[in-house]
Amino acid sequence: MADVLITVRLPAPATLESAMRHLDLAEDEVDTAYGLVPVDPRRNLYVLRVTESAGRRVGDTGAGPRGGDHPRADGGPYSDPPIEPYGPPR
C-alpha cells in the first residue's frame, strides 16, 4: 500500500477525526499514527497521510467545485518519499 499526503483546511481546533469527517474518509484509509500535522496554522492548513486510492478520490485535482456530494482535499495527493541523509556525515 503506497501512502500519499493530502492537505486540508479546517477551522481550529482541528482534529484527525474532523479531517476524516470533512473528507469522508474511513479509518482504514488514514494513517492514524501519522496523525493530522499542522502545516500553516495561521491559514488552518493541515496534512494527513492516506492510502493512494483515498488520495486519488479526495485529492484536489482542480476538476470541479469544492464540497458538494464529493468532499475534496485542499491539495494533493503528494508523494511521500522517505527522507534519508545523502552520503557520509561531515
Side-chain angles (χ1 to χ4, degrees), residues 81-90:
I83 298 173
E84 300 173 352
Y86 180 77
R90 295 184 196 184

Side-chain angles (χ1 to χ4, degrees), residues 7-12 39-46 74:
T7 57
V8 61
R9 290 184 196 277
L10 297 168
V39 175
D40 187 346
R42 291 176 301 150
R43 296 175 41 214
N44 298 324
L45 186 63
Y46 301 87
D74 191 68

